């Protein structure tokens, strides 16, 4: 590098080849924790649930309006189980703003429709609607898990997970055989598999009841009832989705990459969480924000367009005798989302 380049040009850190042996080990150790998160937190609800466990292990407590806040206190807020904010109170006034890191925890998936089950041609199918930007052809002929929650009439919520355990069945969206798909293969990638065709096979064995009209559907719902005590009517109020069943695996012979579902943006969410917890004490209050609904425009009561983050900061401001406008005006935010190699 010339003297002029040294003086004027950006000095790029090319990454791994600039690290010593100890630093390289830290990279791989970090990745092991990240893979564990990816394997468990395949939905935003699960990421938030796991984050709460990690925060509580680190001494964080749910925010309470009855509790006074002082330097060093650690509190967290959960919004409907879908988004989360956590804070470490600093020594300076909140009117100086906070240091905020924000990432989103939702990923593209296949949501079940409110009335998802239909029986035809000796099959029980599960109707879905894609959430976020997907390449539809990538979702056929791969093993899928069914995950989410179901709200019951008695007010209780049941957590559903089918496909994670090695003894569980998985779900699949069938595709045409090559010799039957000539017309399909003349279409563009976008048209080859249409959204209305993203229906997973739920069951094929009929329930042993001569009087039943929809025997295969009855068998499917009966199996759900045996495990979760839910009926077809309960699916109307359910928040269920199909997600890829694959576990996170090291990729490439040198193990330099990770193959897994949901890395947009759980890679940044996990890095944000780790950085937040590992950060050194500072005068500014530090805030971690994990958002939902980014993949569909950040709307809704759990997305960034909702007031959750603002109300969280307002709760902290009132506790510390500050005006929210001062907090917001002086806050610095790092918004972390994925980039792509191409």
């Amino acid at each position: 590098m010339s003297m002029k380049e040294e003086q004027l040009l950006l000095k790029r850190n090319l990454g791994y080849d600039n690290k010593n042996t100890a630093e390289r080990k830290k990279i791989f150790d970090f990745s092991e924790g990240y893979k564990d998160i990816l394997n468990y937190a395949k939905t935003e609800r699960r990421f938030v649930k796991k984050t709460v466990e990690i925060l509580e292990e680190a001494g964080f407590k749910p925010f309470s309006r009855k509790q006074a806040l002082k330097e060093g206190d650690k509190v967290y807020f959960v919004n409907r189980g879908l988004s989360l904010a956590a804070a470490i109170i600093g020594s300076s006034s909140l009117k100086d703003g906070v240091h905020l890191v924000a990432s989103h925890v939702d990923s593209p998936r296949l949501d079940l429709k409110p009335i998802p089950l239909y029986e035809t041609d000796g099959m029980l199918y599960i109707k879905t609607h894609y959430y976020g930007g997907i390449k539809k052809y990538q979702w056929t002929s791969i093993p899928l898990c069914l995950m989410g929650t179901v709200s019951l009439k008695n007010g209780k919520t049941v957590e559903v997970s089918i496909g994670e355990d090695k003894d569980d069945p998985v779900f699949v969206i069938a595709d045409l055989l090559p010799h039957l798909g000539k017309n399909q293969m003349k279409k563009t990638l976008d048209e080859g598999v249409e959204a209305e065709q993203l229906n997973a096979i739920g069951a094929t064995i009929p329930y042993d009841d001569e009087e039943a009209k929809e025997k295969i559907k009855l068998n499917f719902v009966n199996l759900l009832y045996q495990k979760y005590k839910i009926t077809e009517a309960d699916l109307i109020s359910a928040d269920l989705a199909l997600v890829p069943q694959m576990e996170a695996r090291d990729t490439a012979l040198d193990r330099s990459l990770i193959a897994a579902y949901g890395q947009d943006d759980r890679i940044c969410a996990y890095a944000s969480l780790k950085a937040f917890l590992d950060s050194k004490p500072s005068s500014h209050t530090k805030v971690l924000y994990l958002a939902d609904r980014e993949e569909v425009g950040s709307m809704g009561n759990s997305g960034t367009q909702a007031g959750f983050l603002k109300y969280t900061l307002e709760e902290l401001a009132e506790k510390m005798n500050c005006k929210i406008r001062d907090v917001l005006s002086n806050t610095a935010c790092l918004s972390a989302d994925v980039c792509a190699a191409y």
Side-chain angles (χ1 to χ4, degrees), residues 10-269:
L10 174 67
K11 299 176 182 63
R12 295 186 180 274
N13 181 349
L14 298 179
Y16 190 81
D17 54 347
N18 286 352
K19 306 300 180 184
N20 60 37
T21 301
E23 291 171 328
R24 291 180 178 185
K25 184 178 184 303
K26 286 183 179 180
I27 292 173
F28 279 89
D29 289 345
F30 181 92
S31 298
E32 291 304 311
Y34 173 51
K35 287 188 290 185
D36 289 341
I37 285 284
L38 288 174
N39 288 334
Y40 175 79
K42 292 184 177 180
T43 65
E44 68 284 359
R45 286 185 184 277
R46 283 199 155 199
F47 199 104
V48 169
K49 181 180 178 181
K50 188 64 176 179
T51 298
V52 168
E53 294 176 7
I54 293 171
L55 290 174
E56 290 186 344
E57 288 176 4
F60 285 75
K61 296 180 179 179
F63 174 80
S64 171
R65 290 180 176 175
K66 298 179 181 179
Q67 172 191 352
L69 291 179
K70 62 183 185 303
E71 179 184 354
D73 281 349
K74 302 175 180 180
V75 294
Y76 69 86
F77 306 73
V78 176
N79 178 19
R80 297 169 174 83
L82 298 169
S83 57
L84 175 146
I88 303 174
I89 306 302
S91 59
S92 65
S93 172
L94 225 65
K95 70 181 181 181
D96 296 329
V98 303
H99 287 173
L100 171 67
V101 60
S103 307
H104 71 89
V105 292
D106 60 315
S107 294
R109 59 178 187 261
L110 298 180
D111 285 335
L112 268 60
K113 291 185 176 181
I115 303 179
L117 306 180
Y118 75 97
E119 182 179 332
T120 183
D121 299 327
M123 298 272 199
L124 184 280
Y125 289 98
I126 305 169
K127 293 190 288 186
T128 70
H129 185 281
Y130 62 88
Y131 170 95
I134 67 169
K135 293 181 177 180
K136 295 184 285 294
Y137 67 87
Q138 292 182 334
W139 289 76
T140 63
S141 303
I142 63 171
L144 301 168
C145 294
L146 180 64
M147 288 186 170
T149 59
V150 180
S151 298
L152 304 181
K153 293 178 181 178
N154 60 13
K156 294 183 179 180
T157 298
V158 177
E159 184 173 346
V160 173
S161 174
I162 303 174
E164 266 195 307
D165 190 275
K166 65 178 182 179
D167 295 324
D168 280 353
V170 296
F171 300 90
V172 70
I173 297 169
D175 197 3
L176 288 172
L177 296 168
H179 61 277
L180 295 178
K182 292 182 180 180
N183 291 333
Q184 179 194 43
M185 289 187 282
K186 292 176 183 178
K187 298 179 180 180
T188 64
L189 284 176
D190 185 51
E191 297 168 338
V193 177
E194 298 178 359
E196 290 75 15
Q197 296 172 317
L198 295 176
N199 301 320
I201 299 172
T204 64
I205 297 175
Y207 189 77
D208 189 11
D209 183 346
E210 291 297 328
E211 296 182 0
K213 293 182 179 179
E214 296 180 291
K215 296 181 182 180
I216 303 175
K217 181 196 284 190
L218 181 58
N219 187 38
F220 178 89
V221 177
N222 182 58
L223 291 170
L224 278 182
Y225 186 79
Q226 288 178 9
K227 186 169 185 177
Y228 296 108
K229 302 301 179 187
I230 59 179
T231 68
E232 184 180 11
D234 293 322
L235 298 180
I236 296 174
S237 59
D239 180 13
L240 295 171
L242 290 170
V243 297
Q245 183 269 343
M246 66 180 290
E247 291 188 356
R249 297 289 297 271
D250 291 338
T251 303
L253 194 57
D254 58 2
R255 300 179 180 269
S256 57
L257 301 171
I258 294 173
Y261 161 70
Q263 298 198 68
D264 178 7
D265 182 35
R266 292 175 190 138
I267 185 170
C268 293

Side-chain angles (χ1 to χ4, degrees), residues 321-333:
N321 299 315
C322 298
K323 294 179 179 179
I324 184 61
R325 65 171 179 265
D326 292 329
V327 179
L328 294 175
S329 296
N330 295 308
T331 287
C333 174

